[in-house]
Amino acid sequence: MVVRRWSFLLLGLLALTTRPVSSQELRVQAVQEFNALNRLVAKGDKLLAKKPKPPEFLKPLVNAELSFVHRVCKPTDEQMETIVESAEEALEGMVDLLDQRVRGRTASTIQYRGLNGQRLNQNPVQRIREDTMDYLPLLLTEEQYQKYKQESSQRERIEREAASDYLVALMGEKLILTKIQKRQLREAFLEEWPDLDVEWVVTYISNQRFVPIIPSNLLRKVLTTEQQTAWASFQQVNINVMLGQNAELFLEKEWLP
């Protein structure tokens, strides 16, 4: 994780100190030169030791984010080429997701797994978005980057609202809730549940005999004692999120083949 962060920092220093900050074209060129240097260093590393590779199932997730960047920021071909190179470098650093000694940036009870059962220490979708937010300022104009931030924020809001709405609907099928309780639950989920994420919520759509483990402090605020007892009687489990099975990813192209 430290190495990956220093890589982005060095990239930024090169872009800002060796090229005029006001020149977008020269900044992109600086990043291209840095990525080329990284590839040369990587080749040298391979001669000394076999470098572990990130799992293949992460590539579609990276490609989906690159498609999102291309769609909302409308970068030039040269900008997009450098963005893809930077995404590839970030992907190489994601091998640390397999290291169980490393804790994810956000503690979570939800477990993410790969196609072969690999256990990840962090939500990879969130990691990819954070990495993208790190390197994009160096490659885009300020206007383009602000567009990405705005659209990303909107996307996160829509996803969290969808996750909250589904959970409220699921609880409504199991319990008799008033309209006021449904609205209160929705607000509590959105405002006080950091781990709420559409990536794991949708797993309950195909596993409806289970219900998610919802923080008890949120339920106590809204449900009656009888409703809490009824909810506790259902089979509550945290279902593993299996990656690589999502056919709904929006891909404009395979940016990383």
Side-chain angles (χ1 to χ4, degrees):
M1 183 73 70
V2 174
V3 173
R4 185 174 62 83
R5 285 296 181 185
W6 273 108
S7 176
F8 285 131
L9 179 57
L10 179 57
L11 186 152
L13 289 174
L14 282 174
L16 295 176
T17 60
T18 67
R19 296 291 188 272
V21 177
S22 60
S23 174
Q24 174 66 20
E25 181 180 356
L26 291 180
R27 279 199 294 166
V28 169
Q29 182 181 347
V31 175
Q32 289 176 326
E33 293 170 357
F34 177 77
N35 287 334
L37 178 61
N38 258 2
R39 287 192 290 272
L40 288 176
V41 172
K43 288 181 181 179
D45 290 342
K46 289 180 180 178
L47 297 177
L48 299 176
K50 188 175 180 181
K51 188 178 179 181
K53 294 183 178 181
E56 283 292 318
F57 62 77
L58 294 176
K59 277 189 178 181
L61 302 178
V62 176
N63 282 328
E65 190 62 17
L66 288 172
S67 291
F68 179 79
V69 171
H70 186 262
R71 188 166 66 256
V72 304
C73 301
K74 303 187 185 312
T76 64
D77 291 343
E78 187 176 16
Q79 283 178 316
M80 195 64 201
E81 180 181 349
T82 312
I83 290 170
V84 171
E85 289 177 353
S86 297
E88 187 171 17
E89 181 198 350
L91 176 62
E92 291 298 320
M94 290 182 70
V95 69
D96 65 2
L97 291 180
L98 298 173
D99 189 346
Q100 297 308 308
R101 296 170 298 178
V102 177
R103 289 181 60 85
R105 299 177 199 175
T106 303
S108 174
T109 56
I110 307 302
Q111 184 65 66
Y112 295 83
R113 292 185 180 274
L115 289 175
N116 296 321
Q118 303 99 319
R119 189 157 58 98
L120 307 184
N121 57 41
Q122 184 186 356
N123 178 348
V125 174
Q126 186 64 29
R127 167 68 174 272
I128 289 168
R129 293 177 180 180
E130 290 172 354
D131 284 348
T132 306
M133 194 72 76
D134 279 340
Y135 63 71
L136 276 188
L138 304 169
L139 310 176
L140 298 175
T141 65
E142 180 64 20
E143 182 180 0
Q144 287 172 314
Y145 180 60
Q146 291 303 321
K147 181 68 173 176
Y148 175 79
K149 287 180 63 177
Q150 177 184 353
E151 294 293 331
S152 295
S153 177
Q154 176 99 344
R155 174 179 60 181
E156 181 180 357
R157 179 184 64 79
I158 291 173
E159 289 175 346
R160 284 182 59 82
E161 287 181 350
S164 180
D165 288 342
Y166 175 75
L167 287 183
V168 171
L170 184 151
M171 293 186 68
E173 293 177 356
K174 306 291 185 180
L175 306 172
I176 300 177
L177 300 174
T178 66
K179 290 183 179 180
I180 294 178
Q181 284 181 314
K182 290 180 180 179
R183 187 188 42 154
Q184 291 174 334
L185 283 170
R186 185 180 192 272
E187 292 174 354
F189 293 162
L190 289 174
E191 297 174 5
E192 304 178 46
W193 196 358
D195 282 345
L196 181 64
D197 189 289
V198 71
E199 294 292 331
W200 66 261
V201 169
V202 296
T203 60
Y204 290 89
I205 295 177
S206 56
N207 295 276
Q208 296 188 6
R209 67 182 181 277
F210 302 121
V211 298
I213 300 175
I214 299 176
S216 57
N217 63 306
L218 301 183
L219 297 180
R220 284 196 300 269
K221 290 183 178 181
V222 179
L223 301 185
T224 66
T225 302
E226 292 76 11
Q227 288 172 325
Q228 293 179 56
T229 301
W231 180 256
S233 68
F234 298 114
Q235 192 168 0
Q236 302 180 40
V237 297
N238 284 326
I239 301 177
N240 289 334
V241 179
M242 303 301 295
L243 302 170
Q245 299 178 342
N246 190 346
E248 298 179 0
L249 291 175
F250 183 88
L251 301 180
E252 292 181 340
K253 62 182 289 186
E254 297 289 335
W255 305 98
L256 297 182

